[in-house]
Amino acid sequence: MQIPILVDEASAVGLQDQIFDQIHTLILDGRLPAGSALPASRSLARDLGVSRNTVLGAYQRLAEQGLVRTREQAGTYVAPHQHALGPRHALHTPDDPQDAQDDLGAALQRRLRFRSRPHRVLSPHPVPPHYDFWIGQVDPRLYPTRAWRTLIARMLAAPAEPLCRYGDPQGLPQLRAAIAAYVGAARGIATDASRVLITNGIQEGLSLLARLLVRPGVEVALEDPCYRGASSVFADHGARLCPVPVDGDGIDPAALPPSAALVYATPSHQYPMGATLSLARREALLAWGRRAGAYIVEDDYDSDFYYDEAPLPALRSDDRHDQVIYLGTFSKCLGAGLRLGYMILPRRLVGPARAAKALLSNCQPWLDQAALAAFVAEGDHAHHLRQLRRICAARRDHLRAAIAHQFPGARVAGAHSGMHLAVHLPPLMPGAQQIEPAARRAGVGVYGVESANAQLFDARRSGALDRFLLFGYAALDETAISEAILALRRTIDTLR
Amino acid sequence: MQIPILVDEASAVGLQDQIFDQIHTLILDGRLPAGSALPASRSLARDLGVSRNTVLGAYQRLAEQGLVRTREQAGTYVAPHQHALGPRHALHTPDDPQDAQDDLGAALQRRLRFRSRPHRVLSPHPVPPHYDFWIGQVDPRLYPTRAWRTLIARMLAAPAEPLCRYGDPQGLPQLRAAIAAYVGAARGIATDASRVLITNGIQEGLSLLARLLVRPGVEVALEDPCYRGASSVFADHGARLCPVPVDGDGIDPAALPPSAALVYATPSHQYPMGATLSLARREALLAWGRRAGAYIVEDDYDSDFYYDEAPLPALRSDDRHDQVIYLGTFSKCLGAGLRLGYMILPRRLVGPARAAKALLSNCQPWLDQAALAAFVAEGDHAHHLRQLRRICAARRDHLRAAIAHQFPGARVAGAHSGMHLAVHLPPLMPGAQQIEPAARRAGVGVYGVESANAQLFDARRSGALDRFLLFGYAALDETAISEAILALRRTIDTLR
């Protein structure tokens, strides 16, 4: 049983209240009639990415109001109607204007096109902890402020034409050309501006792909666990999600269903577990795509960050059949507030994707695109990346040393590249679910797999994955890292 | 018979070639099997917003290749298969690698989720005419360049935090507060920041609404003719479009279908005909919404532009049942390259719209939002609007005088507000379809109803509507207007 619920982490309203309110409305509107089963608390909690206690608390309050009943072994059901509608009908006659307004409200509420699958909104946490190892967070102190100000001022010194006109739905041509040259040099992708489409971050790229390629019931294969922004947007378009387990070599192509229309993967640094797809599996993934006649979506979200050796080229660079869709972003190397991502598209997708973007929002705003085009084309970007890599490598080394010092026996994975690493906790330490809230009370944000905006599909693996803690290190300097890891050790000591 | 075709005006490929290529692929891929009927040329031309000759030309070339056959009285059909597949199958054996690649391409092509209804991409014309009366075009020389540069520099002088972080999916709180205050003063809408959602232009607002409220088969009522960006996005989500004729008092609520889930309207300045919805019809429209349990989408795209007297407040200001969704934009008073629009939402839509925006693209970029918030809150916006209105009023007066002088007998409608007016041509003058291409050859862009990004639903009215020419006047100064109208008269003289 699926019910249409949305929860919004950044809302001032608590998660339990949001769940309670929405089920309450569904029952009073008659969209959940008497006798309907509510979803099992465990499965609803998983879909929404909230704790099971949050869901149980909401169910409990619904039961206290007489709206639902819980039967042993059989789950939670909507109670008979006289209970549900009693109070309101006792207060108003049908001719009461207040009631007419309520009826209109209920009618309008029914017009909402709810999704079959609940999902959680991806919002920044309203009050970040003092030391925050949130993944993908970049350090504002490293922003190339001076170069950026100069470029923005230069763009605004020219006549205001491009501020006043609709731009190309595919994106500013200069920026597309600069990106094509950049991914050629940095990621081995032979392409040109005609294949690049500028998006409002990778999230919009995923949304456009879902719109173009997913119909209700279409199978979409994903890594388990995977980035929740991807699984949510495919589910939102009605996809049947087919999770494929990841291990130390990334996603296992042997486990991909032959009937999937596309697979979403993060080959260079698996989100969130940090693995790099092995060479053998890259080959197997491409071969699977050819056999299945499927698209392969390569989300290369943090590939600008590599340290010890040059990274493998993008999967797209090995794509001889034009079936890999490459997603890149400037959210990590510059900042998410720019909202500038891009896709490198197979030839046959360019026209449809351009048309979809035009229909969706006409085009991206001009100013940041223009400044970024010059930033990339004139070499500022390459310079900035070299500096970023040097600083982030030092932070990573510092974090690794601090972890080794404070938590002997912890194993670190995914540290060769990216902006976060995964720590496999030693056997006697408490798990991530226990550490996370205690650390937060001590001012340290560390994240278990599910808290890090990752969707976990196979509940049987949640115990094993609870043994991992994830640390995004790009936004914290060495001093902060030392202080945070010390505070974390002390916190964990109190838990044993 | 609907077939999945997209045409893109800004493409380097001609419209006829685009139509030919796509039908060609549909037939070779087997998605249009032998015996399928192609749509009637007239209806496909209308859906795509192209001339009927363009479609006939594409059909003719398909017939020449033996792919389709035209039967008298019965339309155009896909020819039997041996003709269609002959050449390719004769060249390659099934084991040929080229062929395997082609098969993969065909498989991937089938994965595309085509819409049931063809649509046309809304792109700026690649080469605008010398004097362009394009509607909604703002004059870059009137952009408040100095104030804008100062504000942008001020925003970038602060620490780079907001450039680096994801913002609120609902939009920058300061900007939402500034907009709430502005629409209160300017449009009589009592609201606050919690009801405002920032969008990437009105087009994204329409797209979000379609996502929330439209399921395949849901009825959406629209003005006939209406803004094509709206009809396309609703059709793209599977809506059944219910056109309602407009006259000199705007849309006629008596003709609204009781079963529609929403109506899309432009009450203050009908797009493209220029009428203002009469007071009686405003009441009737709201009453219809209550009876039908439907949402009313009020697109107030150019209401910042009014001249002779203060405008009526927004329809939303009279909405006592929280059923009007208000759409506004800064594309006209500042520029479309900013991509900043907004919605004022009914309470029950705020959460779902915010969640949909988060899933779609996380949030709007920060910099332009921040500068705009200060621009509006600190009074620059009000000052700029007063100046704009003064200048546009003079241009409108000048245009009206030039038209009266060069085309005695022409009647002008929609001049009281907005950025364009509609000219009802005198009886002996040729129609818009004849004038438009000749004027363009003479360097003057004037637009008939369908060329102005408007969708005309009732083909029986196309003759009557061909008697109207539309003139956007905000981007041309008085000298240019005089020269353009003189050139236009000389052009029309050669046509008689």
Side-chain angles (χ1 to χ4, degrees), chain A residues 89-106:
Chain A
H89 280 234
L91 285 169
H92 302 293
T93 68
D95 291 321
D96 187 305
Q98 175 61 36
D99 213 52
Q101 189 166 345
D102 284 350
D103 288 349
L104 177 62

Side-chain angles (χ1 to χ4, degrees), chain A residues 50 71-72 102 114 123 211 233 237 281 291 333 337 345 378:
Chain A
V50 303
R71 302 184 204 147
E72 278 300 322
D102 284 350
F114 278 123
S123 292
R211 224 176 141 104
V233 83
H237 283 77
R281 287 195 176 175
R291 279 195 313 275
C333 58
L345 289 161
E378 296 171 13

Side-chain angles (χ1 to χ4, degrees), chain B residues 40-53 55 450:
Chain B
S41 57
R42 198 182 298 275
S43 98
L44 185 61
R46 193 190 57 226
D47 284 340
L48 294 174
V50 302
S51 86
R52 193 176 162 215
N53 281 339
V55 174
E450 289 193 82

Side-chain angles (χ1 to χ4, degrees), chain B residues 75-269:
Chain B
T76 304
Y77 288 83
V78 177
H81 267 151
Q82 57 274 30
H83 294 273
L85 297 179
R88 188 174 126 207
H89 280 233
L91 286 170
H92 302 295
T93 69
D95 291 320
D96 186 305
Q98 176 61 34
D99 212 52
Q101 189 166 342
D102 285 349
D103 287 349
L104 178 62
L108 293 172
Q109 193 77 37
R110 272 192 296 275
R111 299 292 195 187
L112 277 178
R113 176 196 186 174
F114 278 119
R115 308 291 155 185
S116 59
R117 203 181 173 80
H119 70 262
R120 184 174 181 174
V121 175
L122 312 162
S123 292
H125 201 283
V127 190
H130 184 68
Y131 302 108
D132 195 3
F133 288 103
W134 183 251
I135 299 182
Q137 183 64 57
V138 58
D139 188 341
R141 293 165 298 181
L142 303 182
Y143 198 86
T145 312
R146 199 177 313 176
W148 197 252
R149 276 184 207 144
T150 308
L151 287 171
I152 290 274
R154 196 170 96 198
M155 299 307 146
L156 288 178
E161 304 274 349
L163 275 174
C164 293
R165 297 189 192 277
Y166 290 93
D168 185 335
Q170 202 174 329
L172 194 72
Q174 306 89 291
L175 178 57
R176 289 192 274 122
I179 287 171
Y182 170 69
V183 297
R187 308 296 294 128
I189 299 172
T191 190
D192 62 43
S194 71
R195 297 291 196 89
V196 180
L197 186 136
I198 307 297
T199 57
N200 197 77
I202 281 182
Q203 191 64 33
E204 190 186 59
L206 292 167
S207 177
L208 288 170
L209 292 177
R211 223 176 142 103
L212 291 175
L213 302 171
V214 176
R215 264 174 296 246
V218 159
E219 289 178 34
V220 171
L222 307 122
E223 298 163 332
D224 184 8
C226 82
Y227 174 54
R228 199 190 280 133
S231 54
S232 296
V233 83
F234 291 124
D236 188 59
H237 283 78
R240 259 189 62 202
L241 304 184
C242 308
V244 176
V246 297
D247 58 25
D249 286 333
I251 190 170
D252 181 5
L256 282 166
S259 44
L262 67 91
V263 57
Y264 165 82
T266 48
S268 62
H269 194 230

Side-chain angles (χ1 to χ4, degrees), chain A residues 416-440:
Chain A
H416 54 285
S417 70
M419 310 162 77
H420 77 275
L421 46 80
V423 171
H424 195 166
L425 301 170
L428 293 177
M429 207 179 275
Q433 279 199 39
Q434 218 187 323
I435 294 174
E436 231 182 277
R440 174 166 277 269

Side-chain angles (χ1 to χ4, degrees), chain A residues 400-420:
Chain A
R400 245 191 332 201
I403 288 171
H405 181 67
Q406 301 290 356
F407 305 109
R411 277 178 295 138
V412 167
H416 54 285
S417 70
M419 310 162 77
H420 77 275

